[in-house]
Amino acid sequence: MRVLVAMMKHETNTFSPLVTDLARFEAWGLHYGPAAERAYADTAMPMGAYIRLCRARGAEVITPVAAEAMPGGIVTREAYETLAGAIVETARQGVDAMLLDLHGAMVAEHVADGEGELLRRLRAVAPHVPIAVTCDLHCNLTQAMVENCDALIGYKTYPHVDMAEVGERIARVLFDAIDGKCRPVMAFSPIPVLAQTLRMGTDDAPMKDVVGEARRLEDAGLLAATVFGGFPMADVAHAGMAAVVVADGDGKAAQDAVDHLVDFTRARRDDFLYDHEPIETALDRAALLGEAGGPVILLDHADNCGSGGTQDVMGVIAAVIDKGLRDVAVGAVFDPQAVTAMAAAGVGSTITLDLGGRIAMPALGLEGRPLSVTGRVKVLTDGRFIVRGPMYTGVTVEMGPTAVLAIDDGRVEIVITSRHHEPWDRGVFTSVGIDPAAKRYLLLKSRIHYRAGFAPLAKATLTLDGEGVTTSDNSKLSYGRLARPIYPFDRIN
C-alpha cells in the first residue's frame, strides 16, 4: 500500500500585516520528500502519528511535503501553489490512501478556503482514493473540506496537546474503512457564533463542556465527533464555529449528532465572549499577587504571534515597566534589528535601543511605536531548542539569533528574537539561561497555548488588554465578508 502523508498548515489572520510567503514557511518548518518524513516521524504531531501507523501496517510512506508557518497574514499565491502543487502532483502519480495534517484556516491571495481548494484538487486527480484529514481546533470548516474527504476530525484540546491522538484516531478510521471494517459517513454544520480565542481554552467552560459533549458522542459509538472553535481573526465568509461528525454507515445518526452539538454550543454563545478589563486595574491586581511570590503570568494577548500578531507591540511591556513590577521575564519580542545591535555590542555591554514597534498595523490604523530602553546585553544565542513539553513535543524550534536584554539592573529581562515564536514551551526561557520557575512575573505574548508549558508554574494568570491584530475587541476590527447572521454581531435564536 502506498500512502501519501503530508502536512500543509497555516492559521491566516487577514488583519495581520505579516506576509506569509515561502520564506515564512521555511523559517518554521518546510521539508520535502524523505526529509519531511525524517523531520516528523518521532514527533507528537498528526503527521508523526500517520507515519507510525503506516509503518506498523507495512505501508510505503510517501511524503511530498511537510510545511507549517507561524500564523500571520495572507498566504502568497506562490507559497500556496508550491505547497499544494507538491501534494496534488504526488496524488496524481498514484497512491492508495491519503492522510493529511492540515489547519483549516488558511487564506491565500487567490483562495479564501485554502484547505477546501486543496482537497477539491485532490479529489479531481484521485476521485476514488480515500482521504482522512486532521484539522486544528481553530479550523473554519467549510462544505468543500467535508465533501472532498472521507473522514475529518479536529483537536479537542487547547493548548493542542492531543494532536497525535486525534491524528491516530482518524487514520485508524480510514484504514478500517479500507479493510472493510467500517463505512464512514459525515455530517457537518456551521454554528453562527464568532467565538473569541481567549474563551476557547478546553480546561475552562464553555469549551470544556462542548468538547466533553463531543467526547461523549464518540464514547457512545461515533467514529469521530468535533466542535471547532473557529478562527475569528479571518474576515472570510466561513469564519466561525462548526460541528462535524463521522458515523459508521448511518447518515441519520451523523446528522442527529451534529444537530445536537450545534444546539448544545449555541446555547452557550454568550460564554464565548471575552470580558475586557482596563490594563491599569489588572496591573494593580498583579502587583498585589506578586507580593506573595510567583510566577504570576501576565498575558499580552492582543500581540500573540501564534494568532498572527506582529510580536513587537510594546504598550503592555511599557505599562509593566512603568508599574514598577520587579523580577519580570518577557517572552518574547520580535526585533531582528535589536538582536543585531546587541550582538555587535557584545555580552556584558550596556546599550540603548528603540525596541520593537517596527511594524505598522494598517487594519487597526496603528503605526509602530518603539520603546526606548537601556540595558545590559546578558545573553546571545542561536535561538534553537527542542520542545520537551506536551505540545509540539520533539519539534526543533528556530527562534533565529536571540538575545536577552536586562534593564533596570535586571529588574526586567526581555527575550528578543529574530523569528516569530509563541511561548508555549519553557525552552523560550531555558534556552537563554532564564529559569521561568524562579521569576516573580512571566510576561508572555500568548493567549492559551502558554498553558502547555507554563500553567503548572503559575500562581495566578492575568490577561492584559493591549493593542495588536489579535485583539479580542471586535469593535477594533472591520469585518466585511462574514456570513450573516452571526453572533455577536447579530441576534440568533
Side-chain angles (χ1 to χ4, degrees):
M1 176 181 286
R2 289 164 50 84
V3 182
L4 186 158
V5 175
M7 180 173 79
M8 187 175 99
K9 301 170 81 164
H10 188 252
E11 186 175 79
T12 305
N13 182 329
T14 62
F15 303 100
S16 174
L18 304 173
V19 176
T20 304
D21 53 12
L22 276 173
R24 191 162 176 83
F25 281 95
E26 290 168 353
W28 177 246
L30 177 54
H31 309 275
Y32 295 101
E37 181 176 353
R38 290 194 298 271
Y40 286 95
D42 297 322
T43 67
M45 303 282 286
M47 188 165 176
Y50 294 163
I51 292 168
R52 290 189 289 275
L53 282 176
C54 287
R55 288 176 175 176
R57 191 180 175 90
E60 179 185 357
V61 178
I62 304 167
T63 52
V65 67
E68 182 171 13
M70 188 61 64
I74 292 174
V75 177
T76 65
R77 177 188 289 265
E78 177 195 19
Y80 181 87
E81 293 299 335
T82 298
L83 303 177
I87 299 171
V88 173
E89 183 54 34
T90 299
R92 191 192 311 275
Q93 294 170 10
V95 295
D96 300 303
M98 295 186 236
L99 297 171
L100 301 177
D101 182 359
L102 307 179
H103 185 285
M106 177 182 284
V107 181
E109 291 175 319
H110 59 309
V111 175
D113 176 12
E115 291 82 1
E117 175 62 15
L118 170 66
L119 290 166
R120 185 195 65 77
R121 294 181 188 183
L122 289 170
R123 271 288 190 242
V125 301
H128 305 299
V129 174
I131 302 173
V133 178
T134 302
C135 286
D136 193 283
L137 180 140
H138 300 113
C139 165
N140 288 324
L141 190 64
T142 67
Q143 185 75 39
M145 294 183 209
V146 176
E147 285 182 349
N148 290 291
C149 71
D150 296 272
L152 186 148
I153 196 171
Y155 309 153
K156 289 184 175 65
T157 60
Y158 181 32
H160 308 323
V161 297
D162 66 336
M163 291 187 284
E165 174 188 334
V166 296
E168 179 175 336
R169 184 183 188 104
I170 209 66
R172 289 190 183 280
V173 168
L174 196 73
F175 286 139
D176 283 349
I178 291 171
D179 294 340
K181 297 178 181 178
C182 70
R183 184 169 63 87
V185 294
M186 284 195 291
F188 112 99
S189 176
I191 303 172
V193 175
L194 194 71
Q196 291 170 332
T197 314
L198 273 170
R199 301 296 299 136
M200 294 186 202
T202 51
D203 289 331
D204 315 315
M207 204 68 195
K208 179 179 181 179
D209 300 330
V210 170
V211 167
E213 192 65 8
R215 289 189 188 277
R216 185 186 69 77
L217 293 176
E218 289 179 341
D219 291 341
L222 289 175
L223 299 177
T226 305
V227 176
F228 290 107
F231 185 58
M233 316 310 301
D235 185 19
V236 292
H238 53 280
M241 303 187 75
V244 64
V245 162
V246 186
D248 185 1
D250 190 339
K252 183 179 185 303
Q255 190 60 56
D256 288 347
V258 161
D259 292 343
H260 170 69
L261 288 173
V262 169
D263 292 342
F264 189 90
T265 304
R266 284 167 65 119
R268 290 155 177 78
R269 59 187 176 271
D270 289 343
D271 296 331
F272 282 101
L273 301 182
Y274 169 69
D275 291 327
H276 295 271
E277 178 183 35
I279 191 169
E280 297 81 7
T281 304
L283 286 174
D284 286 342
R285 290 196 292 124
L288 291 174
L289 289 167
E291 291 178 0
V296 174
I297 292 181
L298 310 174
L299 299 177
D300 186 1
H301 61 90
D303 189 32
N304 167 31
C305 74
S307 293
T310 61
Q311 204 180 353
D312 79 335
V313 182
M314 302 303 294
V316 168
I317 296 172
V320 167
I321 293 171
D322 291 345
K323 183 67 177 178
L325 300 186
R326 300 188 61 82
D327 198 16
V328 182
V330 180
V333 173
F334 169 74
D335 192 338
Q337 291 176 244
V339 174
T340 298
M342 293 169 68
V347 172
S349 301
T350 297
I351 188 171
T352 297
L353 296 168
D354 285 336
L355 183 61
R358 301 186 189 278
I359 305 173
M361 294 170 282
L364 300 179
L366 294 175
E367 296 296 324
R369 293 195 294 270
L371 178 66
S372 180
V373 292
T374 298
R376 178 174 58 86
V377 180
K378 184 178 179 182
V379 174
L380 296 168
T381 76
D382 62 5
R384 175 180 293 182
F385 66 90
I386 297 174
V387 176
R388 303 300 185 192
M391 179 177 159
Y392 280 77
T393 309
V395 172
T396 299
V397 168
E398 302 275 2
M399 299 189 295
T402 296
V404 176
L405 184 69
I407 65 175
D408 292 347
D409 295 325
R411 179 168 66 87
V412 178
E413 295 182 337
I414 305 175
V415 180
I416 308 168
T417 68
S418 299
R419 291 179 176 175
H420 291 100
H421 179 66
E422 181 178 357
W424 63 64
D425 186 79
R426 299 179 198 181
V428 169
F429 292 119
T430 58
S431 67
V432 294
I434 296 173
D435 179 4
K439 288 294 183 181
R440 190 175 298 268
Y441 298 98
L442 298 175
L443 175 54
L444 306 177
K445 286 184 176 286
S446 180
R447 290 180 186 271
I448 301 292
H449 278 325
Y450 78 92
R451 294 180 180 180
F454 296 98
L457 300 180
K459 299 294 176 57
T461 301
L462 301 177
T463 51
L464 302 183
D465 296 352
E467 295 178 327
V469 294
T470 64
T471 178
S472 294
D473 186 347
N474 289 336
S475 67
K476 295 183 178 180
L477 301 171
S478 296
Y479 290 93
R481 298 179 179 86
L482 292 176
R484 307 293 286 268
I486 190 167
Y487 188 80
F489 298 110
D490 307 295
R491 293 179 62 86
I492 61 171
N493 294 329

